[in-house]
């Protein structure tokens, strides 16, 4: 998929988490989480600029998703300073989930293309694909973006009505 499709996939994957965070009273954290998820949604495709790294290679794995989540949690741990250690742990854990989820959403979006992904590399070289659409299909990319935006707007509606 292209940028629009990956942004839509990130919104689609993040919205339930954001709604739960907002309903729990962490509206600002939920909004920041959405921006972070969208910002990280195309990071795996940075492999296009990395010499000697195959596209949809190491950056398109669950291991990479966990590393991004851990990195975001680490950065968050440095900057979080509250009076409660429980809030600190919760915020760092939330950052880990957001970082991991952003990359996993990318993997899922790429898994619907014929090129697919090898999510368990280096443990397994098995290839996974649903072969639903080509990555370059503008209709599929904008449909995924629209689905993500509509889901996010529905999430905002739920928070507005319930919260």
């Amino acid at each position: 998929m292209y940028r629009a499709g990956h942004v839509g996939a990130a919104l689609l994957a993040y919205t339930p988490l954001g709604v739960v965070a907002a309903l729990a009273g962490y509206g600002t954290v939920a909004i920041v989480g959405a921006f972070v998820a969208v910002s990280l949604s195309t990071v795996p495709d940075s492999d296009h600029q990395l010499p000697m790294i195959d596209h949809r290679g190491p950056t398109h794995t669950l291991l990479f998703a966990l590393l991004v989540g851990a990195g975001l949690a680490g950065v968050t741990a440095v900057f979080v300073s509250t009076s409660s250690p429980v809030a600190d742990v919760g915020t760092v854990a939330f950052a880990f989930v957001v970082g991991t989820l952003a990359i996993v959403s990318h993997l899922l979006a790429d898994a619907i293309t014929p090129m697919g992904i090898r999510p368990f590399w280096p443990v397994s070289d098995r290839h996974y694909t649903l072969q639903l659409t080509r990555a370059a299909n503008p209709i599929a990319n904008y449909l995924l973006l629209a689905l993500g935006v509509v889901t996010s707007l529905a999430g905002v509606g739920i928070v507005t009505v319930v919260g």
Side-chain angles (χ1 to χ4, degrees):
M1 301 306 288
Y2 286 4
R3 180 178 303 276
H6 287 304
V7 167
L11 289 171
L12 190 59
Y14 175 77
T15 296
L17 179 63
V19 167
V20 169
L23 290 177
Y26 300 100
T28 302
V29 171
I31 292 168
V32 170
F35 282 110
V36 171
V38 167
S39 297
L40 293 175
S41 68
T42 59
V43 166
D45 285 339
S46 63
D47 60 7
H48 284 293
Q49 284 78 38
L50 299 173
M52 300 175 18
I53 301 289
D54 291 334
H55 180 51
R56 296 197 185 178
T59 62
H60 285 69
T61 64
L62 293 175
L63 176 61
F64 184 73
L66 293 170
L67 290 172
V68 170
L72 185 60
V75 168
T76 301
V78 169
F79 289 106
V80 169
S81 84
T82 64
S83 58
S84 166
V86 173
D88 288 352
V89 169
T91 303
V92 171
F94 184 78
F96 174 79
V97 171
V98 170
T100 302
L101 186 66
I103 304 305
V104 168
S105 75
H106 184 105
L107 302 181
L108 292 172
D110 279 353
I112 69 172
T113 69
M115 189 175 177
I117 57 170
R118 293 176 292 138
F120 302 111
W121 180 92
V123 175
S124 170
D125 222 20
R126 184 163 177 200
H127 179 259
Y128 294 86
T129 178
L130 294 176
Q131 297 187 25
L132 295 178
T133 183
R134 294 179 306 106
N137 181 337
I139 294 170
N141 277 281
Y142 286 109
L143 186 61
L144 194 50
L145 176 61
L147 188 58
V149 169
V150 167
T151 301
S152 295
L153 291 174
V156 169
I158 290 168
V159 171
T160 302
V161 170
V162 175

